[in-house]
Amino acid sequence: LHYPLRRQRQMCIRDSPHTAGKYHARQFRKATCPVVERMVNSLMMYGRNSGKKLKAVRIVKHAFEIVHLSTGQNPIQVLVEAIVNGAPREDSTRVGSAGTVRRQAVDVSPLRRVNQ
């Protein structure tokens, strides 16, 4: 597994993905935020559900129940496998000198793979 996800497995599984932690206070502290809570936070980002965390928690809980009933597997493990499989492995960046710009393929860091 990738480094940020390995750390997620070592952390205790919380019964509620609502820690109210300040994971943006230091540079790489968001890597310690539980994966389920990061998913809940990304759900309540846009539109009319903006800022409604309890509603997002309820949506995730119902989705996890559906995943468990349909597959019979641990829904958090299914989420982690989906993040690993859906993450980009390669990206392109702009490399330019003397006015000419071209795209260069680069590898994506593990933390950025989890973020995207």
Side-chain angles (χ1 to χ4, degrees):
L1 280 174
H2 297 75
Y3 178 70
L5 292 178
R6 243 184 285 149
R7 189 180 303 171
Q8 290 293 334
R9 286 183 133 186
Q10 294 171 358
M11 294 177 63
C12 64
I13 296 176
R14 303 186 61 84
D15 53 350
S16 173
H18 197 308
T19 61
K22 292 185 358 183
Y23 294 108
H24 64 279
R26 290 184 54 197
Q27 188 173 10
F28 293 109
R29 189 176 288 173
K30 66 181 170 183
T32 63
C33 182
V35 173
V36 179
E37 184 172 1
R38 292 185 72 173
M39 183 176 150
V40 167
N41 290 341
S42 65
L43 272 180
M44 61 171 197
M45 193 109 18
Y46 302 108
R48 65 182 184 190
N49 295 330
S50 175
K52 299 177 182 174
K53 192 161 189 174
L54 295 179
K55 181 183 272 191
V57 167
R58 194 173 63 234
I59 290 169
V60 169
K61 189 180 292 187
H62 290 316
F64 279 172
E65 288 176 4
I66 292 170
V67 167
H68 177 67
L69 292 175
S70 63
T71 63
Q73 298 178 357
N74 185 0
I76 298 176
Q77 182 63 35
V78 172
L79 173 67
V80 169
E81 290 174 2
I83 291 172
V84 168
N85 292 334
R89 290 174 175 80
E90 191 175 85
D91 199 6
S92 62
T93 185
R94 294 170 49 125
V95 176
S97 62
T100 60
V101 176
R102 62 185 175 92
R103 307 293 276 182
Q104 176 73 33
V106 293
D107 294 334
V108 178
S109 69
L111 183 64
R112 184 167 173 159
R113 292 185 69 187
V114 173
N115 289 342
Q116 290 182 343

